Structures are given as C-alpha cells and as structure tokens.
Amino acid sequence: QQQVRQSSQSLTVWEGETAILNCSYENSAFDYFPWYQQFPGEGPALLIAIRSVSDKKEDGRFTIFFNKREKNLSLHIKDSQPGDSATYFCAASASSGSWQLIFGSGTQLTVMP
Amino acid sequence: EAAVTQSPRSKVAVTGGKVTLSCHQTNNHDYMYWYRQDTGHGLRLIHYSYVADSTEKGDIPDGYKASRPSQENFSLILELASLSQTAVYFCASNDRGDTLYFGAGTRLSVL
C-alpha cells in the first residue's frame, strides 16, 4: 500500500510552460509535505515544503497547492526551464507519532528547449 | 554547508559476498538514514539511527545490517549480497523532523 502516490512517472513540457506535478496521500495524520528535487548522479535536495495549515506555498517559480480535504497536493513550476529537468519526489510526514518521511515514487520531468 | 559523504560511489559485488557502504556527515546531526532507490519505487528507508551505537529498522530492513559507531559515521552492511540488492543507496542526515540532507549516492551492482 503506497501511502504517498505520484500519479505520473514522467512528464514532458516545453520551455516556458507551467509543469504540474501531482501527489496524493492516504494518512490523515500527515501534516508536512516537502518536495525534493534530484538531478542525475546526485542525491535529492529539498526544493520547497508546505505544512497542512496552509493551502499554498510559493518560492520563486515553484508553488505548492495543497488540498487537505481531498488529500492531494501539486507542485507547479512556472516558466519551466531545461535546467528544471530532474526527478521530483513528493514526501509526507506526521509531526505526531511516526514522523519519518514517506516518499512517493517520483516524477521525472523533462523540459524541452 | 551541510555535508554527507558516501563511499564508495560505485561498487560491483559478487553474489554471496559481503558489502559495506560507508557514510560520513559533518552536519552534527543526530539522525542518519540509509535509503534505497529503485526505478518506480522512489526512496525506501532501510535503517536509521538517532544516536551512536544504536540503529533502528526502517521499512525494508531484510538482508541489511547497519552500524553507527559515532555520531558522524553510519554504515550499511550486506552480509550476503544478492542480485535483488542491485540499486542506488543514499545516506542522509537531519535533526528530528527537519530537512533531510542526502549524500551523492552509491551505485551497487551485484553480479
């Protein structure tokens, strides 16, 4: 049973478009949702994160939209650049109880020039 | 800057052999983790530790042992390597509930 699910294994967009990466979760206790970005040959690195008390978090071209009722969230990458081509992992954890991060399977984003 | 260093970066092992993957962090973090990455499965937690000389099982501990001899060092040990353990392994560290800092990974091929 996958607690954090990313609906697309891969996504291709053109340079300048908005890339939308989707994520859903099952555990209502999850209250922290980071997105990690991984380039080939490197380890993942934190890109942006949101807590369940918010429905939106913005950082430059990256925005997380969060829907607590539907148990889903999405990462929007505005004005996508070829340098954004990477694998993006959605993750979740609960600040009470087991606080370990649970990762989704990742979405490989390709931005075509 | 937070730093997690893994060695070796890649390794070829024979089935049934012993493999040790090493991790060193200079972040002064209490928590260290070993993850396995496979295509389609994302990152799965093998073992973790929150204090030296103590380790805990993660979600997929079978076939793996871990050792935390000091706050800075955390090793993953495959006593009898198997073909199914071919994967990329990542070490990470953090303080409880905080941002995870990952190493660059070790690509292990078991033949």
Side-chain angles (χ1 to χ4, degrees):
Chain A
Q1 184 184 14
Q2 213 169 2
Q3 293 195 61
V4 178
R5 188 174 293 114
Q6 294 182 247
S7 55
S8 300
Q9 193 168 358
S10 64
L11 175 67
T12 300
V13 300
W14 292 101
E15 184 176 356
E17 292 184 334
T18 296
I20 300 175
L21 290 73
N22 297 307
C23 178
S24 62
Y25 63 97
E26 297 182 0
N27 189 343
S28 299
F30 288 155
D31 56 6
Y32 174 64
F33 302 88
W35 285 84
Y36 280 77
Q37 180 188 52
Q38 182 184 30
F39 294 107
E42 299 181 10
L46 178 67
L47 177 65
I48 186 172
I50 193 168
R51 296 202 179 269
S52 60
V53 294
S54 302
D55 55 14
K56 180 181 176 181
K57 178 72 176 293
E58 193 169 351
D59 185 356
R61 297 185 296 109
F62 301 92
T63 303
I64 299 175
F65 292 93
F66 178 71
N67 187 323
K68 188 173 183 177
R69 185 169 55 87
E70 299 292 329
K71 293 185 188 171
N72 61 47
L73 60 157
S74 59
L75 173 68
H76 291 226
I77 305 175
K78 193 167 45 177
D79 187 24
S80 296
Q81 302 296 310
D84 296 329
S85 297
T87 298
Y88 293 81
F89 291 100
C90 174
S93 67
S95 55
S96 61
S98 174
W99 46 269
Q100 296 289 355
L101 267 180
I102 306 296
F103 285 88
S105 56
T107 297
Q108 186 172 344
L109 173 68
T110 302
V111 181
M112 303 292 290
Chain B
E1 181 168 320
V4 178
T5 305
Q6 294 182 231
S7 62
R9 289 297 315 277
S10 66
K11 184 171 181 64
V12 178
V14 295
T15 304
K18 182 177 180 178
V19 176
T20 300
L21 307 182
S22 299
C23 179
H24 178 81
Q25 57 111 347
T26 58
N27 306 327
N28 200 33
H29 288 156
D30 288 330
Y31 290 83
M32 296 187 74
Y33 309 79
W34 278 106
Y35 287 91
R36 168 177 172 154
Q37 183 175 29
D38 301 275
T39 303
H41 288 280
L43 293 156
R44 293 182 290 175
L45 181 62
I46 306 171
H47 285 287
Y48 67 99
S49 167
Y50 55 86
V51 68
D53 295 322
S54 176
T55 62
E56 306 292 332
K57 293 180 180 179
D59 299 321
I60 54 164
D62 293 345
Y64 302 94
K65 288 172 56 178
S67 173
R68 182 95 181 268
S70 64
Q71 186 193 35
E72 298 80 15
N73 296 293
F74 192 35
S75 298
L76 185 68
I77 302 149
L78 290 65
E79 295 278 5
L80 295 169
S82 67
L83 293 173
S84 64
Q85 293 177 312
T86 292
V88 180
Y89 293 86
F90 287 99
C91 177
S93 74
N94 73 347
D95 286 324
R96 189 183 187 280
D98 209 341
T99 301
L100 273 173
Y101 292 91
F102 285 86
T106 296
R107 183 173 297 276
L108 175 65
S109 297
V110 182
L111 305 178

